[in-house]
Amino acid sequence: MLTITHSNAAGTMIDGTSKGDGTADVLKTVGWRWGRSISAWFVPQSRDRLPKLHTITRTQEALEAAGFEVETDIDHEHRTTAEVEAGKIGRQADRVDALVAKADRKSTASDDAWTRARSALDRLPEGGEPIKIGHHSEGRHRNAITKADNAMRKSVEASTDATHAQARADAATHTTDARYRPVTVANRIDTLGAELRKLERRVIAPRYDDAQGYVDATDAQKQARAEHLAPNLAEKRDQIAYWEAVRAAQIESGTATGYDRSTVKKGDRVKIRGQWREVVRANPKTVSVSTGYTWTDTAPYAEIQQHQRPE
């Protein structure tokens, strides 16, 4: 018996599989991946999200068609965005620690490989003495050259691995900071707002009638849609509330600027990406600035670093 499970904290996973039982080929075709660190199959990007029911249904049908018995255990509850973010930050910190430790191990291995390579080179005859063909030392000389060559190759590979591991560790240390960059936070709020409005439109969207074409949805249909989309709507609203609170705190602390159409006017000067530009037009969500040519550039208000009045 195979069991497809989903929880907000763990994501969508499957229990009961074993190596060589034939489930791997089926799961790969429906978008599952094998997680080496967790030794289990999982649906990508399913953690901290509502269950992807279409993927779960497709997987169940494919496995049953292949002769497996499948049951599901789906938890539709979702954690608050604050809990989700705290979990992400904690996992990222653990990942940084693991990558730093790996980089240290690789660096030590690189040093050891270099020591072995130097030792192998030191065993070669001094002065680059050529191989004496037919001499009793020919075999020993050739073996020494081969060992020195192999040791040097391993040293170079170990050094490359150490450099790569250190680069990954350095990049990982900035991941959380990048997620909370003021401009990124502002863009995320805009994106989440668009996604929420799209869900709300689905509730009141017209329905198609074979005889009349598109007609207004009935109250009963709107109510059914609202109930079906309620978890998604609640999740989006909670995410927006969390990130708006983050942005408000950033503006209050001075980490982010809070300019908008009410504070930026035509003729003002604004600093965007390190350059001062004159405002040509203040749009609802963006500001148009002069370039010195016949066209203008447009940037969101969140990218304004400083602002000056004409006077």
Side-chain angles (χ1 to χ4, degrees), residues 173-208:
T173 60
H174 302 298
T175 299
T176 297
D177 291 341
R179 279 180 55 77
Y180 282 79
R181 285 181 59 245
V183 174
T184 303
V185 170
N187 291 340
R188 184 175 293 117
I189 292 171
D190 290 341
T191 300
L192 290 171
E195 293 173 352
L196 176 61
R197 291 189 293 274
K198 183 177 180 180
L199 288 170
E200 292 173 337
R201 287 194 298 271
R202 287 176 59 185
V203 174
I204 61 174
R207 61 185 177 85
Y208 184 78

Side-chain angles (χ1 to χ4, degrees), residues 46-301:
S46 61
R47 183 163 53 186
D48 298 327
R49 300 189 181 187
L50 292 170
K52 301 178 181 179
L53 297 178
H54 60 284
T55 299
I56 293 173
T57 301
R58 237 176 52 202
T59 302
Q60 184 174 6
E61 292 174 350
L63 288 170
E64 289 176 344
F68 296 97
E69 293 184 38
V70 185
E71 63 180 7
T72 59
D73 181 10
I74 310 300
D75 182 3
H76 291 271
E77 293 296 322
H78 68 86
R79 299 186 296 170
T80 65
T81 306
E83 292 174 319
V84 170
E85 286 300 311
K88 286 182 178 180
I89 292 171
R91 290 194 301 272
Q92 186 61 26
D94 293 340
R95 182 170 182 267
V96 169
D97 291 341
L99 287 173
V100 169
K102 182 178 181 180
D104 290 341
R105 292 195 303 271
K106 293 288 186 181
S107 179
T108 301
S110 175
D111 293 340
D112 293 343
W114 172 248
T115 300
R116 290 192 295 271
R118 288 305 313 170
S119 177
L121 289 172
D122 291 342
R123 286 194 292 270
L124 293 175
E126 295 183 4
E129 181 180 344
I131 298 174
K132 299 174 181 177
I133 306 300
H135 192 266
H136 65 82
S137 63
E138 178 183 354
R140 184 172 65 252
H141 196 162
R142 291 187 184 278
N143 290 337
I145 292 175
T146 301
K147 289 180 180 179
D149 180 64
N150 290 337
M152 183 57 69
R153 289 178 186 276
K154 290 179 180 179
S155 173
V156 172
E157 291 172 358
S159 177
T160 301
D161 289 344
T163 302
H164 179 64
Q166 187 60 53
R168 291 186 64 195
D170 293 340
T173 60
H174 302 298
T175 299
T176 297
D177 291 341
R179 279 180 55 77
Y180 282 79
R181 285 181 59 245
V183 174
T184 303
V185 170
N187 291 340
R188 184 175 293 117
I189 292 171
D190 290 341
T191 300
L192 290 171
E195 293 173 352
L196 176 61
R197 291 189 293 274
K198 183 177 180 180
L199 288 170
E200 292 173 337
R201 287 194 298 271
R202 287 176 59 185
V203 174
I204 61 174
R207 61 185 177 85
Y208 184 78
D209 183 84
D210 292 336
Q212 304 177 30
Y214 285 100
V215 296
D216 291 338
T218 63
D219 291 340
Q221 289 172 329
K222 293 178 183 178
Q223 180 64 26
R225 293 173 183 172
E227 292 175 357
H228 176 69
L229 293 173
N232 305 78
L233 290 166
E235 182 183 47
K236 288 296 176 203
R237 287 167 182 153
D238 181 66
Q239 291 173 344
I240 291 172
Y242 174 84
W243 289 109
E244 284 181 340
V246 170
R247 177 149 179 80
Q250 290 177 337
I251 292 173
E252 184 177 358
S253 66
T255 306
T257 57
Y259 300 113
D260 56 27
R261 198 177 190 181
S262 66
T263 55
V264 177
K265 304 295 182 182
K266 181 179 178 180
D268 292 355
R269 283 168 51 80
V270 291
K271 188 177 183 180
I272 298 174
R273 300 168 195 166
Q275 293 186 337
W276 285 97
R277 301 286 185 86
E278 182 179 344
V279 177
V280 176
R281 184 171 56 255
N283 308 306
K285 293 187 177 182
T286 61
V287 60
S288 299
V289 296
S290 63
T291 61
Y293 300 98
T294 56
W295 62 86
T296 61
D297 282 343
T298 302
Y301 286 105

Side-chain angles (χ1 to χ4, degrees), residues 4-23:
I4 299 175
T5 64
H6 177 87
S7 67
N8 196 259
T12 304
M13 305 177 70
I14 186 167
D15 298 326
T17 64
S18 58
K19 187 175 182 179
D21 63 358
T23 56

